[in-house]
Amino acid sequence: MLGRLNHVAIATRDAVKAAKIYGAAFGAQISEAVPLPEHGVTTVFATLPNTKIEFIEPLGEASPIAKFLERNADGGIHHVCYEVVDIITSRDTLVKEGARVLGDGVPKIGAHGKPVLFLHPKDFSGALVEIEQA
Amino acid sequence: MLGRLNHVAIATRDAVKAAKIYGAAFGAQISEAVPLPEHGVTTVFATLPNTKIEFIEPLGEASPIAKFLERNADGGIHHVCYEVVDIITSRDTLVKEGARVLGDGVPKIGAHGKPVLFLHPKDFSGALVEIEQA
Ligand SMILES: [Co+2]
Ligand SMILES: [Co+2]
């Protein structure tokens, strides 16, 4: 069973500004900016009743979203993150079904302190997919 | 208060194929393909516990997603849709806060039979935003 949509991540050069209109125009609850140097991003999130929107801006040299922002000057929807019960089981099923896992296939600790993997956009209609062990 | 994330829409040339890996690898519930000629798309959706992913493929001439697929050959995340209580109140607040509404600003009946508006991506970090009266 596919788990919850944990978040939609939107890459931008200014996460605080990006989140602000969600607060002003929608009354959404907006978090403080949280720098995550080990992930190369600063995060601000907008809380919705059923999920969250994460605004990510580059932090430091070699941010993983720097290239995306070169190609998409205005920013854009960067990835979607689904929760899974067991990331190893999910990874193995995904690979069996023909999906490619990015990197070395070993789950890393993600922005929420939980194991995550990223899947190849070409296998998901151009959408970068993150899976997170809930 | 910002409402629920109603759906994330993923544009693709083959919505059935795009949804299939969600069914096979994640065990997600996948709908039949639903042609919506008045919207120029065929839709397949994957149901998650808290929201849904909508796969949209072009239908007929002049599909509103044809250009997106020219620019993004593999497909990609096309828009996010938030629920609002009153679409006219939300539109007016959004405009007051500096967000641009696409088209003539008059809500149209969307793919789910409810009034919708689309907002300018430049005002939402490059993300195309749909609001739907829930
Ligand atoms: Co993420
Ligand atoms: Co939509």
Side-chain angles (χ1 to χ4, degrees), chain B residues 18-128:
Chain B
K20 206 166 266 179
I21 196 159
Y22 281 74
F26 287 125
Q29 196 191 319
I30 305 302
S31 78
E32 295 292 300
V34 181
L36 299 170
E38 69 280 25
H39 292 285
V41 293
T42 293
T43 303
V44 175
F45 59 90
T47 303
L48 278 63
N50 60 334
T51 189
K52 55 186 189 271
I53 307 296
E54 290 193 2
F55 299 94
I56 48 179
E57 74 175 47
L59 177 62
E61 312 293 307
S63 169
I65 61 170
K67 259 190 194 148
F68 180 88
L69 288 170
E70 269 169 38
R71 283 195 310 271
N72 303 274
D74 295 326
I77 305 172
H78 186 262
H79 65 268
V80 287
C81 175
Y82 303 117
E83 296 176 3
V84 298
V85 175
D86 182 316
I87 200 161
I88 300 298
T89 305
S90 289
R91 177 197 64 191
D92 294 347
T93 309
L94 282 158
V95 169
K96 214 185 71 190
E97 293 296 335
R100 285 162 286 179
V101 176
L102 298 184
D104 61 7
V106 180
K108 304 275 183 298
I109 297 304
H112 311 130
K114 295 175 174 177
V116 303
L117 283 170
F118 283 89
L119 310 175
H120 202 303
K122 288 222 184 234
D123 300 325
F124 291 89
S125 316
L128 178 59

Side-chain angles (χ1 to χ4, degrees), chain A residues 7 9 54 79 81 112 118 130:
Chain A
H7 60 273
E54 289 192 5
H79 65 267
C81 175
H112 312 130
F118 283 90
E130 178 180 18

